[in-house]
Amino acid sequence: NSWASTFMDVFRTLNELGTFATITDGIIFHNTLASSAYGFLEHGSFDPRPNYFAVLLWTKLMGETVYNTNEPIKEGSHVFAHSRKDGKDGVAYLIINNSHEEKTTVKLPKEAEVYVLSADHIRSEVMLLNGRELVLDEHNNLPDLSGEKVVDSLTLEPETCAFIVL
């Protein structure tokens, strides 16, 4: 489809990972790596697409234990909670703000490491992490995938996703 290789598909992919994690043992297969419009890598160049980075962050941050989050924080938002992938005490959250117009504010109980995914426009082929473009450098190295420290609260702009590690 016309949006599978853009930031727009990140919402579907991350929601799918979060939803499936509650009903599977954590194994999810993706049909193709680099041979179609919905591959994680661009066909021919093998440059990572937005979904590649979204799945990479999921794998880096979200642990195996899945917690019940009950209700969304706001209509149009999805919240998923897991143990931390690094094995430390605490929780890793994924919050998806599907709204095209409304912000979502999250109260943080303590300082958190935050990874906000956004784009200049919903059909962008380049995703941003905390405002930084996620593209390979001139030597084909991955970009910096570090989070930012946030205290007290986090406001998610419309059409953004955030991993929050507490």
Side-chain angles (χ1 to χ4, degrees), residues 25-166:
D25 289 328
I27 299 172
I28 298 172
F29 292 92
H30 184 71
N31 193 15
T32 185
L33 182 63
S35 65
S36 73
Y38 59 92
F40 288 162
L41 304 176
E42 177 72 33
H43 181 68
S45 71
F46 303 108
D47 287 338
R49 290 177 167 162
N51 272 332
Y52 174 87
F53 291 111
V55 171
L56 188 60
L57 284 168
W58 172 278
T59 302
K60 174 183 173 179
L61 302 171
M62 305 297 274
E64 292 182 17
T65 303
V66 179
Y67 303 111
N68 185 353
T69 59
N70 294 323
E71 297 295 323
I73 54 176
K74 184 177 185 178
E75 186 174 333
S77 296
H78 298 270
V79 181
F80 303 97
H82 287 233
S83 57
R84 292 173 52 144
K85 184 67 172 253
D86 62 11
K88 294 179 182 175
D89 288 339
V91 179
Y93 292 92
L94 167 62
I95 300 176
I96 301 171
N97 183 3
N98 285 324
S99 175
H100 299 294
E101 299 172 358
E102 299 292 323
K103 295 179 181 182
T104 296
T105 301
V106 179
K107 177 86 171 121
L108 302 172
K110 62 180 184 176
E111 182 179 83
E113 191 77 16
V114 174
Y115 305 76
V116 177
L117 301 176
S118 63
D120 291 335
H121 57 90
I122 195 73
R123 288 183 178 251
S124 176
E125 293 183 4
V126 176
M127 184 166 65
L128 306 174
L129 171 60
N130 296 329
R132 302 182 310 266
E133 285 191 349
L134 291 177
V135 294
L136 300 178
D137 69 13
E138 63 275 1
H139 303 291
N140 288 326
N141 294 313
L142 290 173
D144 176 21
L145 296 175
S146 61
E148 292 182 349
K149 301 284 185 200
V150 175
V151 181
D152 296 325
S153 67
L154 172 68
T155 299
L156 290 175
E157 295 297 322
E159 301 174 345
T160 59
C161 305
F163 291 96
I164 302 169
V165 180
L166 294 169

Side-chain angles (χ1 to χ4, degrees), residues 9-25:
D9 197 46
V10 167
F11 297 88
R12 180 200 57 81
T13 297
L14 289 177
N15 188 66
E16 192 173 83
L17 288 172
T19 302
F20 285 170
T22 64
I23 58 174
T24 70
D25 289 328

